Amino acid sequence: MIPADLSRTVVRAVRCAVEDGELPARAGVPERVVVERTRPGGVGDYATPVAFQIAKSAGRPPLDVAGVLARRLGAVAGIERVEVTGPGFLNFVMDPVSVDALVREVQARGRRYGFSAAASVSIGSSSSSSSSASSGGLRARVVEEALLRIRATQGTGTGMGTGMGADAAAAVAAAAPHTAPVAKRDGDVVRLYGEDAARWAMLCVAPHECPSFSARLLVQDESSEFFRVRYAHARSRALVRNAARLGFGSGPGEVPDGGPLAQVLADYPLVLEAAAHRAAPEQVVRFLVRAADELLDFHYRVLPKGDEKPSAAHRARLALAEAAGTVLAGGLDLLGIAAPDCL
């Protein structure tokens, strides 16, 4: 099981518990359940507050609901164990991610990897050329566009005309005293830092926080997170080109030393779901930085060295690096930022 399956698995467990009478019918079955990485120091790999979500309608304490679900979920293949913590949080320890299965899914879905089944058919970037015309200025428009695209991946708001969620709109409005000076120099921000860098600065912090514009956005080395993310994508494309020159291509397979990178990529669907649910595009930004860092740590192992001949292991590593590049490109696209093949 990959983490993207976990939310659906929890929903099925709730449905079965209701059908079997372990939970009352009035409890209802949620359409989706938010599952996220546990916080540092937390228990297990992932956690969900689903028991609180259905406890009130079930007329049962969250701890009892969590116990019912934990017994069912603990027997599911791919889940090593389930623990209940606090007043009713479900915590999951997962079996290691299959790199082969993950890469095949990314290859099959391309930049739509991580989208829910309810996602719109086409979710594209939009230009910010008219962003400053928005009543909230450039920042408000950039946040609105990113949130609409992120929510569209979950089938919860498509098209550019529906407007940002109330929470995000309120957050941007609350930040207006801080962002107003920026709005007055929208043209200068884009002229000085470029459209992509300006978007990154506006989206890398929560909507209620003031974005920071500085020369750091123009730094072209790995000390800059904005540069690192786009550079990591460019490196993935360079690996494919260089492998072709050496006469081999990618081929999915298990990669014993690719676990950390694969685990981060497996989190992407959960990140999109949480970012959509919480109106938090900065969660996508933080994910991209994590994925880029793991790819940059990994990419040195992809190509043969010296007199080494290309092998199945090299093809599998290349496939994983290529998948990481696909995910980085897809995430940048949702933020409205270009992912150049060369940098």
Side-chain angles (χ1 to χ4, degrees):
M1 176 187 294
I2 62 174
D5 299 323
L6 193 51
S7 177
R8 295 187 292 271
T9 301
V10 174
V11 170
R12 283 197 298 270
V14 174
R15 181 179 297 110
C16 292
V18 170
E19 291 173 352
D20 293 346
E22 288 190 90
L23 292 175
R26 65 177 181 275
V29 180
E31 290 186 9
R32 60 164 54 95
V33 171
V34 174
V35 178
E36 295 184 276
R37 271 281 177 186
T38 52
R39 304 292 191 271
V43 175
D45 301 312
Y46 302 94
T48 178
V50 63
F52 300 91
Q53 187 176 344
I54 61 178
K56 185 174 182 180
S57 57
R60 302 264 296 273
L63 195 60
D64 289 353
V65 174
V68 169
L69 298 178
R71 288 191 293 274
R72 288 180 169 272
L73 291 164
V76 174
I79 298 177
E80 183 179 313
R81 69 177 186 275
V82 183
E83 295 186 24
V84 179
T85 60
F89 292 97
L90 284 170
N91 297 264
F92 304 91
V93 177
M94 307 294 290
D95 290 341
V97 171
S98 166
V99 177
D100 181 41
L102 173 72
V103 169
R104 290 181 187 277
E105 180 169 359
V106 176
Q107 288 181 336
R109 306 200 61 191
R111 293 193 184 189
R112 290 180 61 83
Y113 166 68
F115 291 18
S116 78
S120 63
V121 174
S122 177
I123 302 172
S125 302
S126 62
S127 170
S128 65
S129 58
S130 63
S131 291
S132 58
S134 169
S135 61
L138 181 62
R139 173 81 187 291
R141 182 65 175 172
V142 165
V143 171
E144 177 183 26
E145 291 174 350
L147 280 175
L148 285 169
R149 286 189 292 268
I150 292 168
R151 284 175 165 164
T153 71
Q154 306 303 305
T156 55
T158 59
M160 296 308 300
T162 55
M164 75 175 76
D167 292 345
V172 174
H178 304 290
T179 59
V182 173
K184 291 179 182 178
R185 62 176 194 271
D186 284 350
D188 288 341
V189 166
V190 174
R191 179 177 58 80
L192 289 173
Y193 304 108
E195 184 175 307
D196 288 332
R199 279 177 175 266
W200 179 272
M202 294 173 190
L203 294 170
C204 71
V205 295
H208 67 275
E209 296 179 18
C210 182
S212 174
F213 298 95
S214 71
R216 170 60 57 190
L217 290 170
L218 303 178
V219 170
Q220 297 292 294
D221 63 41
E222 293 183 35
S223 66
S224 163
E225 290 184 342
F226 172 60
F227 174 84
R228 275 204 317 275
V229 170
R230 302 210 305 168
Y231 176 65
H233 171 264
R235 286 303 305 151
S236 74
R237 303 308 304 155
L239 288 171
V240 173
R241 294 193 298 270
N242 291 337
R245 294 189 186 102
L246 293 174
F248 76 100
S250 62
E254 291 302 336
V255 183
D257 55 354
L261 175 57
Q263 187 62 68
V264 170
L265 300 183
D267 286 346
Y268 184 53
L270 300 181
V271 170
L272 290 183
E273 186 174 43
H277 179 73
R278 295 180 173 172
E282 72 277 5
Q283 293 193 7
V284 176
V285 174
R286 289 198 294 267
F287 166 83
L288 293 176
V289 173
R290 286 173 52 215
D293 288 346
E294 290 294 345
L295 176 55
L296 291 174
D297 283 344
F298 176 78
H299 84 281
Y300 297 104
R301 309 169 210 167
V302 173
L303 298 179
K305 295 178 174 61
D307 295 331
E308 193 177 14
K309 300 297 183 183
S311 65
H314 293 111
R315 289 192 289 274
R317 291 192 188 100
L318 179 61
L320 176 57
E322 192 175 11
T326 297
V327 174
L328 288 171
L332 286 169
D333 191 51
L334 291 178
L335 299 178
I337 296 173
D341 286 353
C342 297
L343 198 63

